[in-house]
Amino acid sequence: MPTHSDRTRLIASATRRGQGRRPVNPPLERASTMLSDTAGVMRDEAAGPTYGLSGTSAARALRHALADLEGAAEAFLVPSGLAAVTVPLLALLRPGDEVITTDAVYGPTRRFLSRYQAARGVTTRFLPADAGAADVVAGLTGRTRLVLMESPASLTFEMVDVAAVARACRARGVLTVVDNTWAAGLAYRPLAHGVDVSVQAVTKYVGGHSDVLMGSIAVDDPACRRAIGDVIEDLGWHVSPDDAWLALRGLRTLPLRYAEQARSALVVAEWLQGRPEVSRVLYPPLPGAAGHDLWTRDFSGAASLMGVVMKGGDGAAGAAFLDALTLFGLGYSWGGFESLITCETHQMAYRAHPPALEGELIRLHVGLEDPADLIADLEHGLAAFAAALTVP
Ligand SMILES: *Cc1c(COP(=O)(O)O)cnc(C)c1O
């Protein structure tokens, strides 16, 4: 029924009427314990949570808004983006089951699958990073219980036709989970394309200010909801009221930050693509880049995170690039207001099918600075990179 756009709904949910008088934002409630006035109220479920683990006002408002954004019946909160990936994989898989994903899945997710899940008897097949929907579907076996997708994927930004995979999986009773962090729950709605569970690192664009770690799990199917809710309860996961409050604050301005950062990212990506030191820019919104057609078909917006494959160079040249920068912060993560940069070539060693790259792989996140200033900063980095290449 929502007739308003995302940005309107995210604001309007704060100003709902019918509650007498109150502050615009939910109160920050730090509480392990809720007191009831009478024993009767204590037993009354409609009177709200009785214990901090069930969530405070800000967490409830955040869950409601995230579920609305993802078009889900329910959104769960967990203490990190990684937990948002691992909880559904714990809830929905049993020993003997097989998971299919690709080589470009988020690194800590790969570690969870290869270490923890393997020890539980859940096996994973990592298809090549550029596996298309047909390859994923052809890879399904009688033991495949779940397909985990990221589109675009981590570090190398491959796109996959999520809807085609979801359709084939649903027909075979195979579950699908999408790590939707790049789309921020905003530019792509996995559940509307037949996916069972959409997770994201709230840490990134929703939080948006590099001061919160959190994950969300959006789900519709009642059996999946129950299984995921049970695991969260069984493991005792809880997000702090302060963090929920900050994430809710971030969520109000998510559409504006996301769109503005995408605008700047495209300017930066186009500039980089024209530079002689750069071989390829891995950014599906960039015309001509890998995945551009799928991104154009499926996405209503873009993140400001991209990969840059340099022409040649090694770790030392990559380090020279980073050390010459003054605006880009040298730091992991993304989705905040500030620009960040990392060297990622070493991560390729963990892949089952390491990609053939023409040179050093750099990842950059474009923040809310003026893109002209960011380009001037990158110009210094590229000069230092080129100088490091010519050192004997
Ligand atoms: C950062 C990230 C996560 C994990 O988020 P944390 O809050 O740092 O645990 C999960 N998936 C993707 C794609 C990410 O980039």
Side-chain angles (χ1 to χ4, degrees):
M1 303 131 281
T3 51
H4 295 124
S5 69
D6 293 332
R7 51 187 277 196
T8 303
R9 294 205 316 286
L10 285 175
I11 305 299
S13 63
T15 55
R16 256 185 231 114
R17 288 175 176 65
Q19 301 178 46
R21 187 176 294 155
R22 64 190 174 98
V24 171
N25 292 293
L28 177 49
E29 300 162 323
R30 289 200 189 88
S32 60
T33 298
M34 311 290 183
L35 295 176
S36 303
D37 282 341
T38 65
V41 171
M42 215 170 174
R43 282 192 305 272
D44 178 8
E45 287 195 5
T50 55
Y51 195 59
L53 271 177
S54 319
T56 48
S57 310
R60 280 200 302 282
L62 178 61
R63 288 180 65 177
H64 194 275
L66 286 170
D68 177 57
L69 208 55
E70 297 253 13
E74 185 155 21
F76 297 98
L77 301 176
V78 285
S80 69
L82 181 57
V85 182
T86 60
V87 161
L89 298 180
L90 285 171
L92 304 175
L93 294 163
R94 297 286 168 267
D97 287 345
E98 175 188 72
V99 179
I100 291 182
T101 189
T102 82
D103 229 3
V105 74
Y106 179 61
T109 298
R110 164 192 292 276
R111 192 177 58 208
F112 173 75
L113 289 165
S114 324
R115 197 159 66 187
Y116 191 91
Q117 288 285 42
R120 267 182 94 210
V122 173
T123 55
T124 304
R125 266 189 308 131
F126 295 96
L127 301 181
D130 59 356
D135 303 311
V136 175
V137 174
L140 300 175
T141 72
R143 284 183 46 228
T144 310
R145 173 75 182 137
L146 189 149
V147 172
L148 171 64
M149 290 173 275
E150 273 177 41
S151 181
S154 286
L155 303 183
T156 41
F157 300 91
E158 293 83 357
M159 300 279 303
V160 69
D161 188 339
V162 168
V165 173
R167 210 163 28 243
C169 285
R170 202 158 268 187
R172 289 167 175 76
V174 173
L175 296 167
T176 48
V177 177
V178 165
D179 183 334
N180 201 29
T181 302
W182 197 88
L186 194 67
Y188 186 67
R189 287 188 171 69
L191 300 191
H193 293 269
V195 168
D196 295 299
V197 184
S198 172
V199 306
Q200 70 158 317
V202 168
T203 307
K204 308 290 168 55
Y205 286 102
V206 174
H209 295 74
S210 305
D211 50 10
V212 176
L213 285 157
M214 194 181 295
S216 73
I217 306 166
V219 58
D220 245 352
D221 174 73
C224 288
R225 277 171 74 184
R226 206 169 316 114
I228 289 166
D230 285 353
V231 164
I232 289 171
E233 197 170 73
D234 291 345
L235 296 182
W237 285 138
H238 171 67
V239 304
S240 95
D242 301 71
D243 288 351
W245 200 94
L246 284 172
L248 188 63
R249 165 179 280 210
L251 190 63
R252 306 293 185 203
T253 55
L254 168 68
L256 303 184
R257 288 183 286 104
Y258 193 76
E260 183 62 21
Q261 287 176 243
R263 246 189 305 280
S264 295
L266 191 59
V267 171
V268 170
E270 278 169 347
W271 180 80
L272 283 168
Q273 188 62 81
R275 292 289 308 205
E277 302 88 348
V278 170
S279 176
R280 281 181 290 152
V281 179
L282 311 179
Y283 189 52
L286 182 66
H292 183 66
D293 292 347
L294 271 177
W295 177 82
T296 304
R297 189 194 77 179
D298 288 348
F299 279 59
S300 63
S304 59
L305 186 78
M306 67 188 78
V308 183
V309 182
M310 305 299 292
K311 275 192 194 134
D314 52 10
F321 187 151
L322 267 56
D323 287 343
L325 302 172
T326 55
L327 285 179
F328 280 84
L330 277 50
Y332 294 99
S333 200
W334 43 289
F337 57 83
E338 81 287 21
S339 291
L340 293 170
I341 193 163
T342 55
C343 288
E344 300 286 4
T345 306
H346 62 286
Q347 298 283 358
M348 298 301 114
Y350 298 107
R351 295 193 175 184
H353 321 266
L357 298 176
E358 307 85 89
E360 197 55 10
L361 175 62
I362 307 277
R363 185 185 78 170
L364 57 95
H365 168 256
V366 173
L368 285 167
E369 304 90 337
D370 186 326
D373 294 330
L374 293 177
I375 284 173
D377 201 33
L378 289 171
E379 192 132 30
H380 292 130
L382 292 179
F385 179 84
L389 285 185
T390 55
V391 170

